[in-house]
Structures are given as structure tokens and as C-alpha cells.
Amino acid sequence: MSKTITLRPRLSEKTYALAENRVYVVEIPKDVNKHGVARAIESQFDVKVDKVNITNIPGKAKAIISITGKRRKNAEGYRN
């Protein structure tokens, strides 16, 4: 694999609780598959990966409000 994968930890109360059971949550680019994630984690942290789960979490829909305070019709955006 020629490219490097940036692993960013996802920090929340839920992930802290999962870490007690040795389950770690990281954010990865969308174009990486499970095999690439397992190889990246094994090489960066010197551990053996048993299982990798990947999920795609879309951003929440958000209404766009104009400067005047009036809502625009059919103007919706998405959060990250």
C-alpha cells in the first residue's frame, strides 16, 4: 500500500466506555477498506487486530438561514 492512512481517534463518552473493553474507535478516510485499516493499526500501534467494523455516518440535515432571518425555500445543507 503506497499511501498512508491518517487515523484520528473519535472522542466521546461512548468511545471511552468502549475502550474499557479494548474496542477503539478511529475516524478514517472513506476510500479505505477493512484490510487497509487493519494493516494501518497494526503497523502504527504494534498490536494484532482481531476484527474491524466500518460504518458510514452521514451528517445531519441542517436548514440554511439567510442573513435577513428569513428561510430560503429548498435550501438545505448537511453537517460534517
Side-chain angles (χ1 to χ4, degrees):
M1 186 170 212
S2 62
K3 64 179 180 177
T4 59
I5 299 173
T6 305
L7 301 173
R8 295 181 305 164
R10 188 171 181 103
L11 303 175
S12 67
E13 292 180 11
K14 189 171 187 178
T15 59
Y16 283 126
L18 288 172
E20 293 177 357
N21 297 329
R22 298 179 60 141
V23 175
Y24 302 102
V25 181
V26 294
E27 293 180 2
I28 58 169
K30 290 189 176 191
D31 60 342
V32 180
N33 59 13
K34 290 184 179 187
H35 300 292
V37 172
R39 277 188 246 127
I41 289 176
E42 286 176 351
S43 66
Q44 289 184 17
F45 299 110
D46 296 326
V47 295
K48 183 178 181 318
V49 176
D50 290 335
K51 189 164 93 171
V52 176
N53 293 331
I54 295 179
T55 184
N56 183 12
I57 303 171
K60 293 181 181 177
K62 181 179 178 184
I64 297 175
I65 300 173
S66 66
I67 296 172
T68 61
K70 296 180 181 178
R71 292 181 185 254
R72 297 179 189 168
K73 287 187 176 181
N74 299 326
E76 293 184 356
Y78 290 94
R79 295 181 182 172
N80 294 336

